[in-house]
Amino acid sequence: MCFMAIDDLDEGSKEDKWFLDSGCSRHMTGDESKFAFLTKRKGGYVTFGDNAKGRIIGQGNIGNGTSSLIENVLLVDGLKHNLLSISQLCDKGFKVIFEASHCIIKDIQNDKTIFMGHRCENVYAINISKYDGHDRCFSSMHDQSWLWHRRLGHANMDLISQLNKDELVRGLPKINFQKDKICEACQMGKQIKNSFKNKNFISTSRPLELLHMDLFGPSKTPSLGGKSYAYVIVDDFSRYTWVLFLSQNSEAFHEFSKFCNKVQNEKGFSITCIRSDHGREFENFDFEEYCNKHGINHNFSAPRTPQQNGVVERKNRTLQ
């Protein structure tokens, strides 16, 4: 991982300096006292230039108590130097330029110089202690914009940009707030279902070809006969509605079987299809056996989607 010859540097300078390393896969240090925030972890190793291994014992942010200069830094047991990963800096949205005597770290978005390091012997190093006043200097601008999005209650980026422009929020950084990804919390909390479009035509050609059914109750106000449940049946073709009052919802099948015999004899048509939700009063063995015996197709609306059985649902709201 690390092939730098830095042993000739004095110990005091090592404590303050971070060495830029293109062979280092992650930011890492062996000094636990440098962390402003640290989460202990078990498992994982890093391999050094001599093939020796160092155990990863934590991960956190480097800085003082109020600000963090470097994010996602590994705490490696036995590591004697502070290493900055070039690849991790590039992934965070920075550009690293090496010159003969120094190196420059720039923000790609605005081409602003964030840090300047100096060449020490044959390696490049940055003295982090000089930048204690810079908040989150090695945080990517992308991550920082979405951090403020969360801090401000998942406000949209246009609103945050306006707050930034008018300087209405103290400490809000002057960065470009763009909606360049999807916030999972916003997607779960703000998304809405597509509405079901109304049909402008009747899809059936005769009465009793399709019956919409639903049951509601117990009602606070019982019927004149003391019944608390109402079994509503709507004919799709004529929109004619039957309301059967029940004492218990378990009486739904018994009333349905009587209704079928009566209405088919009266109208001279056979029932072809019925549609209901997945309520237990409809989705049970008695209903299934009756429909199979009499050749009735029993359709169910999708769970938690009353819109698919909207014909009878609207009738229910009127009756209630």
Side-chain angles (χ1 to χ4, degrees), residues 19-172:
F19 298 96
L20 293 164
D21 187 359
S22 61
C24 182
S25 59
R26 306 290 293 178
H27 304 324
M28 60 187 68
T29 182
D31 188 355
E32 185 175 347
S33 65
K34 294 184 179 297
F35 285 86
F37 171 79
L38 178 65
T39 301
K40 293 298 181 73
R41 53 181 284 188
K42 295 181 180 179
Y45 293 85
V46 296
T47 304
F48 302 121
D50 58 356
N51 288 328
K53 292 183 179 295
R55 184 165 57 91
I56 300 173
I57 58 177
Q59 183 174 356
N61 299 342
I62 297 296
N64 55 41
T66 58
S67 65
S68 54
L69 294 170
I70 316 173
E71 291 184 335
N72 299 325
V73 181
L74 299 180
L75 176 61
V76 180
D77 187 26
L79 183 61
K80 299 180 180 179
H81 309 291
N82 309 315
L83 305 179
L84 292 177
S85 169
I86 300 297
S87 61
Q88 191 171 348
L89 290 176
C90 294
D91 291 341
K92 284 289 188 178
F94 293 96
K95 178 171 61 174
V96 184
I97 304 172
F98 291 95
E99 301 288 349
S101 60
H102 64 278
C103 65
I104 300 173
I105 300 176
K106 288 188 173 183
D107 177 16
I108 295 178
Q109 291 185 355
N110 52 29
D111 200 35
K112 179 182 178 182
T113 299
I114 305 298
F115 286 101
M116 178 176 291
H118 298 278
R119 181 170 175 174
C120 305
E121 299 295 335
N122 293 322
V123 295
Y124 294 86
I126 295 175
N127 192 340
I128 296 297
S129 61
K130 296 181 180 180
Y131 300 95
D132 283 345
H134 292 69
D135 186 31
R136 303 172 62 86
C137 293
F138 279 173
S139 306
S140 72
M141 298 300 102
H142 171 87
D143 291 345
Q144 195 172 7
S145 65
W146 286 97
L147 172 65
W148 278 97
H149 165 75
R150 296 192 297 271
R151 283 175 174 173
L152 296 175
H154 293 268
N156 65 69
M157 290 303 184
D158 292 336
L159 174 60
I160 301 177
S161 297
Q162 189 64 40
L163 295 175
N164 193 2
K165 179 181 177 181
D166 297 337
E167 298 182 352
L168 298 177
V169 178
R170 293 178 182 177
L172 188 62

Side-chain angles (χ1 to χ4, degrees), residues 272-283:
T272 303
C273 182
I274 60 176
R275 180 176 297 163
S276 69
D277 57 24
H278 284 271
R280 293 184 178 181
E281 62 272 12
F282 300 124
E283 191 175 16

Side-chain angles (χ1 to χ4, degrees), residues 59-318:
Q59 183 174 356
N61 299 342
I62 297 296
N64 55 41
T66 58
S67 65
S68 54
L69 294 170
I70 316 173
E71 291 184 335
N72 299 325
V73 181
L74 299 180
L75 176 61
V76 180
D77 187 26
L79 183 61
K80 299 180 180 179
H81 309 291
N82 309 315
L83 305 179
L84 292 177
S85 169
I86 300 297
S87 61
Q88 191 171 348
L89 290 176
C90 294
D91 291 341
K92 284 289 188 178
F94 293 96
K95 178 171 61 174
V96 184
I97 304 172
F98 291 95
E99 301 288 349
S101 60
H102 64 278
C103 65
I104 300 173
I105 300 176
K106 288 188 173 183
D107 177 16
I108 295 178
Q109 291 185 355
N110 52 29
D111 200 35
K112 179 182 178 182
T113 299
I114 305 298
F115 286 101
M116 178 176 291
H118 298 278
R119 181 170 175 174
C120 305
E121 299 295 335
N122 293 322
V123 295
Y124 294 86
I126 295 175
N127 192 340
I128 296 297
S129 61
K130 296 181 180 180
Y131 300 95
D132 283 345
H134 292 69
D135 186 31
R136 303 172 62 86
C137 293
F138 279 173
S139 306
S140 72
M141 298 300 102
H142 171 87
D143 291 345
Q144 195 172 7
S145 65
W146 286 97
L147 172 65
W148 278 97
H149 165 75
R150 296 192 297 271
R151 283 175 174 173
L152 296 175
H154 293 268
N156 65 69
M157 290 303 184
D158 292 336
L159 174 60
I160 301 177
S161 297
Q162 189 64 40
L163 295 175
N164 193 2
K165 179 181 177 181
D166 297 337
E167 298 182 352
L168 298 177
V169 178
R170 293 178 182 177
L172 188 62
K174 294 292 184 180
I175 60 177
N176 188 18
F177 291 93
Q178 291 184 345
K179 188 173 178 60
D180 51 1
K181 71 174 185 178
I182 296 176
C183 176
E184 294 183 0
C186 289
Q187 187 179 32
M188 294 294 293
K190 299 179 181 179
Q191 67 179 357
I192 60 174
K193 294 181 180 179
N194 287 332
S195 60
F196 286 75
K197 295 182 179 180
N198 294 327
K199 294 192 303 182
N200 297 323
F201 60 93
I202 302 297
S203 57
T204 51
S205 58
R206 62 171 178 82
L208 303 186
E209 185 176 348
L210 172 62
L211 298 180
H212 303 270
M213 304 187 307
D214 196 18
L215 185 147
F216 69 87
S219 176
K220 293 182 180 179
T221 304
S223 66
L224 296 177
K227 306 296 180 66
S228 300
Y229 291 85
Y231 185 6
V232 182
I233 303 173
V234 180
D235 176 52
D236 185 79
F237 180 76
S238 63
R239 292 299 197 266
Y240 190 87
T241 303
W242 297 268
V243 180
L244 311 177
F245 293 98
L246 313 176
S247 298
Q248 299 293 332
N249 58 359
S250 58
E251 300 175 3
F253 170 71
H254 177 68
E255 293 296 328
F256 172 73
S257 60
K258 292 197 305 180
F259 167 80
C260 287
N261 293 330
K262 178 180 178 181
V263 75
Q264 288 179 120
N265 288 334
E266 286 182 354
K267 307 302 179 184
F269 296 104
S270 61
I271 299 174
T272 303
C273 182
I274 60 176
R275 180 176 297 163
S276 69
D277 57 24
H278 284 271
R280 293 184 178 181
E281 62 272 12
F282 300 124
E283 191 175 16
N284 54 52
F285 175 78
D286 292 333
F287 259 95
E288 182 180 0
E289 185 180 36
Y290 184 90
C291 291
N292 291 337
K293 181 178 179 181
H294 294 85
I296 299 174
N297 185 15
H298 192 174
N299 293 334
F300 295 98
S301 58
R304 297 176 295 278
T305 313
Q307 297 90 339
Q308 290 188 342
N309 202 23
V311 173
V312 69
E313 292 288 347
R314 288 188 289 273
K315 291 288 186 180
N316 280 353
R317 287 196 292 270
T318 302

